Amino acid sequence: MQAPIRYSRSDDGIVTLTFDAPDQSVNTLTDAMRECLAESVARLEQEKDQIAGVILASAKETFFAGGDLKRIYGMQRADVQRFFEATERGKGALRRLEKLGKPVVAALTGTALGGGFEIALACHCRMALDAPKIQFGLPEATLGLMPGAGGVVRMNWLLGLAASQPFLQDGKLMTPAQAHQLGLIHELAPTREALLAQARAWIAAHPDVRQPWDAPGYTPPGGRPGASEANRWIATAAAQVRAKTRGCYPAPEAILATSVEALQVDFETATRIESRHFVELATGSVAKNIISTFWFQANEIKSGARRPQGVAPGKVNRLAVLGAGMMGAGIAYAAAARGIDVVVKDATLELAQRALASADKLLAKRQDKGEIDAARRQQTLARIRPTDRYEDFASADLVIEAVPENPALKAQVLQAAEPLLRGGAIWASNTSTLPITGLAADAKRPQSFIGLHFFSPVDRMQLVEVIVGKQTSPATLAHALDFVAQIGKTPIVVNDSRGFFTSRVFSTFTREGVAMLGQGQHPASIEAAAMFAGFPVGPLAVLDEVSLALSYNNRLETLRAYAAEGRPLPPHPADAVMESMLNEFQRKGRAAGGGFYDYPADGPKTFWPGLFTHFVRPEAQIPQEDAQDRLLFCMALESVRILQEGVLASVGDGNIGSALGIGFPRWTGGVFQFLNQYGLARAVQRAEYLAQRYGERFAAPELLKQKAAGGEKSF
């Protein structure tokens, strides 16, 4: 079998180690790669007297993609000692390489992330192709991990404690030019040939070289902890990290701890400290939750696992958007930014031009940040054409209807526009709750009708919920998924039902918050429970933003629809509170002047005093753990019911959809992964406890009970 590293020595004594993992499109730190690297370093040590220097290169388009996540994911608590020793051996090889006594150059001809960039940091000189698409960085924290091959220690010793944190805690990536400006890349080159020539020249010019931290008396930029200024920064940084993570994400805290400790000891001790923190994170549940969903399941979706087979790829060249409100304008911008021509219609040309103004505002912000130039801004704007004529839809490949959630209005625009479309055009409704099959009843081609539920704000939210109606054809689904990929979004696929997946699950979160208020809970404890569970915003604040009136009207529509189908829904304790807020107190939400909160013009929002008069009962307070679990379990259990009903066909789609679309805490890995890591048997027990204390809505669904009773460990 081909070795993952090729060892070659030229006549001038320069050894080139070429990373080229067999049967892989990218290089990763597999066990085989680690063993081969250690063997290569051992050979370098043996042949040291015949060597002038070493170049690390890659035969792949990228330099190195990082660690082997399958290997890391498989590590359990029982493997801690073995994993720690293996980690130490791996970074030991890099330490021996940088102490070889010969110049070592990393020739970065492509992207180097995670472990790949850590390998580069262990080299005396780093050179890179000057290409803006190439990225460097240490994004491990975004997967619940931290660098484990010396990256935390070397970044701190190179950049200093404060300057290194955005690249370690936040996983901030760099272009070659940005890395060069920071001093992490020493030289840039225009071509691969020039890069390798520069590497050889650098080796010839620097026969005696060592790492900065191996020089006597070296002091990292900004100094070491202990000075009063550094101590003040550390205290502030620790508070900021805790405020950001709320104790749910251990990686940023571990990175900060490693960074501070590493600058107070010698280099070898520092890297050993890093190994301990790395192994603790890698064998913990949070990293496994995040990796499972945001790596394995997300990549499965991106690979087209939900796309019907046998359908030729589709591409949207011209998009039509009906409605220039917030959602329609956002969709138009998202498409135009990806090179698609867009025509946006509203009742009047003036209203349609709102989409153009909205796009220009977003583009102006990007230009101010240096992400685009003035020419790119104008090119994008030129792709958006406002209109008040349906006739301008004639050449559209896809129409996305984004008018208000009114079935009659949606039917009206469908009947007016559909006869004008070309034969192969797809009609998509951007609805959050209305069943697609019902909306398609007025369509002449229901097989070409589908739901595309975008999330607000469209320019920032990655998720698109793709809803398949009873008559939606496989080709329509396939081409809808192609379009979502074309505009750089992440799709999940669900079957038709009122509220689909995301809206139905999200409504349980807001209703549970309102129910707790109606049962006497202090509003601050409700919002705090959400925040400490890892939700971005509390349920009462969310309802104020989306409008209590809109939310409750959707609830009434749902109740009527289910009753008409002969399966009435049980009452919910939130209903009475919502009725009082809307009808008795006229508190309809922020846009209407206030809801659960007051919004003074000269200060931050505060709770409406009426909450304490009409709802809060000091004697009725419940444990904070119960409050947090009520918010987490209500969403997870409803997701199981949706899976049980066949509305949701994939556990991965449920995890991705809940985390990317409706704010279910990322640390859990999504609704199903939350139950997996909790333990299905324990989850049934906890659901029974919550049901006994707080209501039958927490009763464990049959599917969950069956899996737990059968000894299954996960969905």
Side-chain angles (χ1 to χ4, degrees), residues 229-280:
E229 184 175 343
N231 286 346
R232 282 195 297 271
W233 182 89
I234 292 168
T236 302
Q240 290 173 338
V241 168
R242 176 50 66 128
K244 180 172 66 175
T245 67
R246 302 180 198 126
C248 294
Y249 301 88
E253 295 186 8
I255 288 169
L256 181 60
T258 303
S259 299
V260 173
E261 294 164 15
L263 291 175
Q264 300 180 74
V265 295
D266 63 90
F267 191 86
E268 275 69 24
T269 303
T271 58
R272 197 156 56 250
I273 290 169
E274 178 190 272
S275 294
R276 292 193 179 110
H277 283 294
F278 167 71
V279 169
E280 177 70 18

Side-chain angles (χ1 to χ4, degrees), residues 289 292-293 297 501 505 632 635-644 648-659 664 668-680 683 701 703-704 707 713-715:
N289 291 343
S292 174
T293 297
Q297 292 173 356
F501 169 68
V505 172
L632 291 165
M635 298 178 75
L637 296 176
E638 186 69 7
S639 299
V640 176
R641 295 183 190 102
I642 293 171
L643 182 68
Q644 186 174 284
L648 190 64
S650 161
V651 165
D653 281 0
N655 284 331
I656 290 289
S658 61
F664 197 77
T668 68
V671 283
F672 294 108
Q673 185 60 27
F674 166 71
L675 295 172
N676 292 345
Q677 61 89 32
Y678 197 93
L680 300 190
L703 180 60
L704 175 58
K707 285 182 170 291
K713 302 298 183 183
S714 64
F715 280 92

Side-chain angles (χ1 to χ4, degrees), residues 474-495:
T476 297
L477 172 59
H479 292 152
L481 291 172
D482 293 341
F483 168 71
V484 174
Q486 189 179 345
I487 62 173
K489 302 290 187 184
T490 300
I492 63 168
V493 179
V494 301
N495 293 316

Side-chain angles (χ1 to χ4, degrees), residues 30 70 108 117 208 231 312 336 400 434 508 564 596 661:
T30 60
K70 287 184 179 178
L108 304 175
F117 193 60
D208 299 309
N231 286 346
I400 299 179
L434 300 174
T508 66
F596 297 108

Side-chain angles (χ1 to χ4, degrees), residues 21 23-27 60-62:
D23 304 321
Q24 286 185 278
S25 59
V26 295
N27 296 309
K60 312 287 188 186
E61 184 177 343
T62 59

Side-chain angles (χ1 to χ4, degrees), residues 33-54:
M33 181 69 78
R34 290 170 182 273
E35 290 171 11
C36 194
L37 179 60
E39 292 168 0
S40 299
V41 172
R43 182 175 175 183
L44 289 171
E45 291 170 332
Q46 291 171 358
E47 301 178 2
K48 178 178 175 181
D49 292 341
Q50 290 81 47
I51 291 173
V54 181

Side-chain angles (χ1 to χ4, degrees), residues 306-308 316 319-320 331 397-402 405 410 414 418 421 424-432 434-441 443-454 464-484 491-497 500:
R306 312 290 182 260
R307 189 183 188 278
V316 172
L319 171 70
I331 294 167
D397 303 306
L398 168 67
V399 178
I400 299 179
E401 165 268 297
E405 292 281 89
K410 289 179 181 289
L414 172 66
E418 189 186 26
L421 303 181
I426 294 172
W427 186 282
S429 179
N430 175 55
T431 175
S432 59
L434 300 174
I436 291 300
T437 302
L439 295 178
K444 296 184 182 301
R445 294 184 296 113
Q447 71 276 10
S448 298
F449 199 111
I450 198 165
L452 289 179
H453 175 203
F454 288 80
V464 178
E465 187 175 27
V466 181
I467 306 105
V468 180
K470 288 183 178 178
Q471 293 178 274
T472 302
S473 71
T476 297
L477 172 59
H479 292 152
L481 291 172
D482 293 341
F483 168 71
V484 174
I492 63 168
V493 179
V494 301
N495 293 316
D496 199 17
S497 175
F500 320 125

